[in-house]
């Protein structure tokens, strides 16, 4: 089991509808995002501008498309799907729609695309990850992060090194099975299904080299910042306490004001990458 599996399992012991096999594949397999294409379109929808999370072990950034009404789409549509030339341009109008609604609207355009909108932190709201060929991925083959489904950036300045996406472009006639996962701001009490690393921009230990420090030291740093930690170790579920002299190997935010630390009695073999400061 990959270490990040333990973190995710600790966040959501009962997977529920959001932690699907596709979601696990996203977390484990996708480590790059297509280079965003800048394109101005009518009715583009403002997206919050948090910085994109940087690399952490086996986690990749995911994104939400915040849309509040595009003139071309019916008022009842959960998605705005507009044909522009030989592509569909897709944005989300209703972040809280039932998944079946998204799929129905995509299938109506002949697109076998699964769209999941999942709760996440403020720092990850406004990101997107696309898997353009699920069948190839599930067969164990490599899947390129570049096209044919591409993201569309909001016009104007963007602080994220991979861009500020507001939608995706899908070729008309696209005939593969694909998956798009979006992160929306978690509602009060929701657990994150897209957990950001605790040291990423906008998170409590940003620019803190916490990996390899003791459980007692990292826990104290989190509590000073108003975050309650819980702990997970090899083969076990999350628990509210861990030996203070154990070491922290990794960590993610599991909900607003809550963190989950991957810990063990020995130092990690190799330190987790730290996000740039």
């Amino acid at each position: 089991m990959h270490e990040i599996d333990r973190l995710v399992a600790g966040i959501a012991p009962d997977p529920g509808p959001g932690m699907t096999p596709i979601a696990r594949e996203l977390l484990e397999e996708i480590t790059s995002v297509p280079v965003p294409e800048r394109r101005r379109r009518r009715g583009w929808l403002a997206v919050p501008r948090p910085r994109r999370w940087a690399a952490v072990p086996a986690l990749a950034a995911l994104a939400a498309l915040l849309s509040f009404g595009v003139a071309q789409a019916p008022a009842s549509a959960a998605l705005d799907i507009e044909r522009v030339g030989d592509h569909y341009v897709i944005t989300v109008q209703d972040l809280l729609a039932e998944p079946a609604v998204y799929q129905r609207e995509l299938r109506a355009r002949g697109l076998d695309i699964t769209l999941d909108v999942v709760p996440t932190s403020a720092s990850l709201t406004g990101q997107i990850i696309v898997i353009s060929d699920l069948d190839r991925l599930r067969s164990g083959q490599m899947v390129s992060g570049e096209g044919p489904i591409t993201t569309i950036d909001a016009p104007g300045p963007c602080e994220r090194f991979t861009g500020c996406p507001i939608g995706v472009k899908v070729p008309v006639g696209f005939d593969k099975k694909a998956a798009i996962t979006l992160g929306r701001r978690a509602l009060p009490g929701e657990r994150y299904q897209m957990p950001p690393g605790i040291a990423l921009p906008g998170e409590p230990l940003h620019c803190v080299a916490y990996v390899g420090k003791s459980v007692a030291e990292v826990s104290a740093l989190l509590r000073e910042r108003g975050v309650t930690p819980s702990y997970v170790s090899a083969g076990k579920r999350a628990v509210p306490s861990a030996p203070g002299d154990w070491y922290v190997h990794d960590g993610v935010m599991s909900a607003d004001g809550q963190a989950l630390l991957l810990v063990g009695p020995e130092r990690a073999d190799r330190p987790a990458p730290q996000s740039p400061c």
Side-chain angles (χ1 to χ4, degrees):
M1 176 183 286
H2 198 285
E3 287 189 349
I4 196 59
D5 278 334
R6 298 179 191 129
L7 288 171
V8 173
I11 293 171
D14 178 8
M19 189 50 62
T20 62
I22 291 173
R24 291 187 180 279
E25 289 168 2
L26 286 168
L27 289 173
E28 288 193 347
E29 303 294 341
I30 300 304
T31 57
S32 63
V33 178
V35 176
E37 173 182 341
R38 293 192 176 275
R39 179 180 179 278
R40 185 179 296 273
R41 64 187 298 265
R42 293 169 293 169
W44 76 273
L45 304 163
V47 179
R49 303 253 184 204
R51 295 175 60 87
R52 183 187 187 276
W53 87 7
V56 294
L59 289 179
L62 303 170
L65 307 178
L66 298 184
S67 303
F68 297 98
V70 177
Q72 291 84 359
S76 59
L79 303 176
D80 170 37
I81 305 176
E82 179 187 357
R83 180 164 179 169
V84 179
D86 58 356
H87 282 77
Y88 290 117
V89 176
I90 304 172
T91 58
V92 176
Q93 295 197 122
D94 183 357
L95 290 170
L96 299 178
E98 291 294 326
V101 175
Y102 300 135
Q103 314 322 327
R104 182 171 62 248
E105 294 181 15
L106 291 165
R107 299 297 188 272
R109 304 307 200 283
L111 301 174
D112 191 3
I113 296 175
T114 299
L115 172 61
D116 288 316
V117 179
V118 299
T120 190
S121 69
S123 71
L124 291 191
T125 300
Q127 302 287 305
I128 184 169
I129 277 188
V130 175
I131 299 178
S132 294
D133 192 341
L134 277 176
D135 289 336
R136 183 179 178 87
L137 181 63
R138 287 168 173 164
S139 70
Q141 302 178 65
M142 296 295 294
V143 176
S144 172
E146 298 182 0
I149 299 176
T150 56
T151 58
I152 302 169
D153 257 7
C158 178
E159 295 181 353
R160 301 176 194 150
F161 67 88
T162 56
C164 297
I166 58 168
V168 295
K169 269 179 53 174
V170 182
V172 173
F174 179 77
D175 60 358
K176 297 184 183 299
K177 186 184 296 293
I180 299 173
T181 301
L182 311 170
R184 60 165 173 80
R185 187 67 180 94
L187 300 176
E190 278 190 310
R191 307 284 282 178
Y192 297 161
Q193 293 180 28
M194 182 189 298
I198 58 176
L200 296 174
E203 301 305 338
L205 296 190
H206 179 48
C207 292
V208 175
Y210 70 91
V211 175
K213 295 184 182 298
S214 70
V215 165
E217 185 175 359
V218 176
S219 298
L221 290 172
L222 288 168
R223 291 191 178 102
E224 287 172 2
R225 293 158 171 78
V227 176
T228 300
S230 57
Y231 311 89
V232 64
S233 58
K236 297 180 180 180
R237 296 294 188 185
V239 294
S241 63
D245 58 354
W246 279 20
Y247 297 97
V248 175
H249 298 171
D250 202 349
V252 297
M253 296 299 293
S254 56
D256 288 355
Q258 298 180 44
L260 181 63
L261 302 179
L262 180 64
V263 302
E266 300 178 352
R267 291 183 185 272
D269 293 335
R270 52 194 174 99
Q274 301 295 317
S275 61
C277 297

